């Protein structure tokens, strides 16, 4: 890169380059969030199963 | 039993894997972050402009690693599916199930960024050539795997059905890779021929670093997601009570 202006505009390709990187970043962040959600869901389900088994009179 | 095979036998144990994967996940996450940031700096700032494609070629720093991961993750799924079907390891099914959404995401990124590169270079966002079409089929195979895996009341049935799809679908991986050699395609040839590349070193190193970063990113998330899948599959076991309690 020769200047900040060239970096920001990517020559005449900024309209293609920046959305490509933005989409890649967005998908990566969504993947992290979904992994977090899946873990929370798994913890909740396992907790419910163990609580239910404790409530069954032996 | 050698220490190596003993390690793999222990690794197949869900509680052992659950505990071991946590610190390794953190290591992979930090490696991914450092490598991806380094590659972004190298690819977006340090690497010179291409004499034909100008700065448009920089899309390859997100496109090529995503495309590489889309193939790599499906092979991981196919191997896990094979191990699961033959040795009936729950852990192998969990790895395949954890990998599928990540592979689908990488494939989507490869398709979208490829289109964004195609418009200024080819004049169109999409052509039905062999590389693009086989990559799109790979995306549908990922979606099919995810759907099939979650379509059954009994998780084991879903795991087995999806595993068969992963094994059959793995035939698409070499088709995607070699499509540019086997057919006349608008898509350019492979960036790598074995361990060599025609890309200039100043442009190549950020690409290799980004590919390594994406691989560690996948490693981090697949370990994280596999832990959740194991918990769900082993929810009736006593060791999961300890995990929930901690």
């Amino acid at each position: 890169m020769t200047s900040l202006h060239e970096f920001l505009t990517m020559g005449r390709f900024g309209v293609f380059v920046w959305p490509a990187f933005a989409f890649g970043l967005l998908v990566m962040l969504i993947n992290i969030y979904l992994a977090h959600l899946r873990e929370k869901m798994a913890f909740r389900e396992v907790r419910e199963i163990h609580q239910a088994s404790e409530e069954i009179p032996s | 039993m050698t220490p190596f095979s003993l390690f793999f036998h222990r690794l197949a144990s869900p509680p052992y894997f659950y505990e071991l994967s946590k610190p390794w996940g953190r290591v992979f996450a930090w490696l991914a972050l450092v490598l991806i940031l380094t590659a972004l700096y190298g690819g977006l700032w340090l690497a010179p402009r291409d004499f034909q494609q100008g700065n448009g070629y920089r899309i390859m720093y997100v496109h090529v690693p995503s495309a590489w991961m889309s193939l790599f993750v499906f092979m991981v799924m196919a191997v896990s599916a094979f191990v699961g079907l033959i040795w009936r390891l729950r852990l192998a099914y969990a790895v395949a199930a954890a990998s599928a959404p990540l592979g689908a995401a990488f494939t989507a990124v490869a398709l979208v960024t490829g289109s964004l590169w195609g418009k200024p270079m080819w004049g169109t966002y999409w052509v039905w050539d062999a590389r693009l079409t086989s990559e799109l089929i790979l995306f549908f195979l990922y979606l099919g795997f995810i759907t099939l895996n979650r379509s059954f009341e009994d998780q084991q049935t879903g795991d087995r059905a999806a595993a068969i799809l992963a094994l059959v679908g793995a035939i698409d991986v070499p088709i995607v890779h070699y499509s540019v050699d086997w057919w006349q395609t608008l898509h350019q040839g492979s960036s790598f021929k074995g361990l060599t590349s025609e890309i200039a070193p100043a442009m190549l190193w950020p690409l290799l670093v980004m590919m390594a970063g994406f691989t560690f990113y996948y490693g981090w998330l697949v370990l994280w997601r596999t832990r959740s899948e194991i918990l769900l599959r082993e929810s009736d076991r006593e060791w999961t009570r300890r995990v929930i309690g901690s």
Side-chain angles (χ1 to χ4, degrees):
Chain A
M1 284 290 166
T2 52
S3 67
L4 185 63
H5 179 261
E6 188 194 350
F7 173 74
L8 293 174
T9 58
M10 285 287 157
R12 58 192 177 88
F13 295 105
V15 72
F16 300 106
V17 173
W18 290 120
F21 277 88
F23 183 72
L25 179 66
L26 180 71
V27 171
M28 290 178 102
L29 293 176
I30 289 173
N31 274 336
I32 295 168
Y33 181 62
L34 289 179
H36 170 69
L37 281 186
R38 187 79 173 156
E39 187 179 50
K40 270 178 72 174
M41 191 199 81
F43 267 66
R44 193 176 60 239
E45 276 195 29
V46 173
R47 191 172 291 122
E48 282 171 5
I49 286 169
H50 285 302
Q51 278 173 354
S53 69
E54 282 167 5
E55 286 165 10
I56 297 170
S58 54
Chain B
M1 192 178 282
T2 63
F4 188 70
S5 57
L6 185 68
F7 170 74
F8 275 97
H9 271 84
R10 288 181 70 189
L11 196 64
S13 155
Y16 182 75
F17 177 88
Y18 192 90
E19 288 305 317
L20 191 73
S21 60
K22 215 168 189 174
W24 277 106
R26 283 197 205 101
V27 172
F28 286 177
W30 281 109
L31 279 171
L33 184 68
V34 170
L35 289 170
I36 289 171
L37 289 177
T38 307
L40 280 175
Y41 177 60
L44 289 174
W45 187 264
L46 295 180
R49 190 175 16 177
D50 185 73
F51 82 103
Q52 274 184 326
Q53 301 183 22
N55 287 311
Y57 88 93
R58 295 181 200 277
I59 292 176
M60 82 169 177
Y61 293 115
V62 62
H63 173 70
V64 175
S66 303
W68 142 250
M69 290 309 299
S70 71
L71 302 180
F72 176 74
V73 173
F74 207 91
M75 287 314 295
V76 170
M77 282 168 54
V79 171
S80 301
F82 180 78
V83 170
L85 286 170
I86 300 296
W87 287 286
R88 297 178 183 277
L89 288 181
R90 282 186 181 187
L91 179 63
Y93 287 133
V95 170
S99 295
L102 301 173
F106 283 124
T107 313
V109 173
L111 287 167
V112 170
T113 55
S115 288
L116 286 167
W117 181 85
K119 182 62 179 171
M121 302 303 160
W122 301 337
T124 178
Y125 285 107
W126 185 264
V127 283
W128 291 99
D129 89 344
R131 171 58 72 86
L132 278 70
T133 307
S134 54
E135 184 75 7
L136 183 64
I137 290 170
L138 188 68
F139 181 65
F140 290 134
L141 283 168
Y142 275 118
L143 296 186
F145 182 98
I146 295 166
T147 308
L148 202 55
N149 191 252
R150 297 176 184 179
S151 296
F152 296 88
E153 193 73 33
D154 176 33
Q155 183 60 57
Q156 285 188 10
T157 311
D159 282 338
R160 277 197 293 271
I164 292 167
L165 178 67
L167 282 177
V168 175
I171 192 72
D172 191 43
V173 172
I175 293 175
V176 174
H177 183 72
Y178 291 108
S179 55
V180 288
D181 300 322
W182 291 344
W183 294 285
Q184 288 282 347
T185 59
L186 193 56
H187 192 285
Q188 68 194 66
S190 295
S191 305
F192 299 93
K193 302 278 184 201
L195 290 175
T196 60
S197 176
E198 292 174 354
I199 302 173
M203 297 171 173
L204 181 62
W205 76 261
L207 181 62
L208 295 176
V209 173
M210 188 68 95
M211 289 168 78
F214 271 47
T215 309
F216 281 115
Y217 167 82
Y218 162 70
W220 167 43
L221 285 191
V222 82
L223 288 179
W224 190 358
R225 292 191 74 113
T226 301
R227 282 208 307 277
S228 305
E229 295 296 330
I230 287 173
L231 273 186
L232 290 168
R233 283 164 172 74
E234 302 259 305
S235 55
D236 54 343
R237 303 293 173 92
E238 192 54 34
W239 72 269
T240 58
R241 188 194 298 270
R242 289 197 303 276
V243 170
I244 296 302
S246 62

